Amino acid sequence: VLDDIALKVKPSDAATLKRARETSPYGYVLKPINEKELYCIIELALFKHEAEKKLKESEVKFRGLFEMSFQMVAMLTTDGLIMEVNRSALEFIESTIEDVQSLPLWESPWFDGLPEERDKVKNMLARAREGEFVRDELRHVSPERVISVFDFSLKPVTDDHGRAIFIIAEGRDITGLKEVQEKISLQTKELQAINEELNATIEELEATNEEFEAQNEELIAAENELRRSEEKYRSLVENINEVIYTIDRDGVLTYLSPGIGKLTGFRPEEMTGRPFTWFVHPDDLGGLMEDFGDLARGAVRPSEYRIHTTTGDYRWVMNTSRPFMKAGAFNGATGVLTDIHEMKLAREALRESE
């Protein structure tokens, strides 16, 4: 047992000392062995071994969360040099970590051909370096030269003295949301024009009280309709709650985060142990089963489908999942469900109003 945690070394044995430096044991015991010293050395060696084990486990958990995120995430030095980038960010530019590691963030492919965005990044890094959390909207460019808008932030991680030791960069694609907001803005202008016309009509009808009352009832009804319309569009910019889940290789749910209750009304324990097909709309099962088969072969892509709730209704969600492979075989998956129901309804309302 002693050889597993500590290396016995003779004070004059140079070869053994050299081997000790190469193997990096958790402790050293000098001959002749003193019982009290041996006890202390074993305790310290066991403590170091356990601490190193916990550190490795923590690193594995961090890597899993880092890579599972659907957002684009990167770790930077305080000078803005790229240390780590998650899979979502690399897939956006169709590159590997070796292509971007150690590059200044503003010179990376995400900002290729976008000098204004590069200047923004430099300014944001200067502020983050001083300990400030910085957030702005930035444009990113894909290899196909498609420009997307991202909610981009820099968060400094500081030491005990408040000095930044590295910086976390995060980007969330809000291109679709911006397009909806632009449509909402156009609809608002049109509604404002209608409202101005109605106000002008009110002024003209003030001369006759009876006519004014009749017109006033129509205006109240119109204003109520406008308010309901505005509430539909406003829901598009509300926060989207996400649900994390895991399934085994047979598609049986093994874990659901508490957010599933807000999304469907079901408690996590009511859904675990059931196949994921149990709560999917029948019309969406065909495409979803094809996606599941592709996922088992390693293909990763987002999908949209409907899930039923405790009230008997169905809600639209966007699913993003990644396979878990064991010994080269599919052994399950981890995924994220995002509620896009209101956005779906809002888009339908926009199409109808246009």
Side-chain angles (χ1 to χ4, degrees), residues 193-220:
I194 293 173
N195 193 50
E196 291 175 359
E197 293 178 2
L198 291 175
N199 288 333
T201 302
I202 292 174
E203 293 178 358
E204 294 175 359
L205 295 175
E206 284 180 346
T208 306
N209 188 50
E210 292 182 358
E211 292 181 359
F212 172 77
E213 290 179 354
Q215 290 293 330
N216 191 47
E217 291 178 359
E218 294 179 5
L219 290 174
I220 291 174

Side-chain angles (χ1 to χ4, degrees), residues 57-71 73 86-88 244 322 334 336:
E57 291 175 352
S58 178
E59 289 175 350
V60 170
K61 291 179 181 178
F62 167 78
R63 177 59 60 182
L65 291 173
F66 186 74
E67 292 296 345
M68 189 181 70
S69 174
F70 186 60
Q71 318 293 359
V73 184
N86 74 343
R87 187 178 303 173
S88 295
I244 298 175
R322 297 191 182 281
T334 299
V336 177

Side-chain angles (χ1 to χ4, degrees), residues 72 74 80 82 85 89-115 117-118 121 139-148 150:
M72 301 199 313
I82 298 172
V85 182
L90 292 172
E91 288 176 351
F92 183 84
I93 57 172
E94 301 177 6
S95 297
T96 64
I97 183 62
E98 290 79 12
D99 297 329
V100 298
Q101 200 165 43
S102 299
L103 277 179
L105 180 61
W106 60 87
E107 294 183 3
S108 64
W110 292 283
F111 305 104
D112 186 29
L114 300 172
E117 307 307 298
R118 291 184 171 184
V121 172
R139 295 174 298 158
H140 291 326
V141 60
S142 70
E144 293 79 19
R145 310 308 298 170
V146 176
I147 303 295
S148 300
F150 277 74

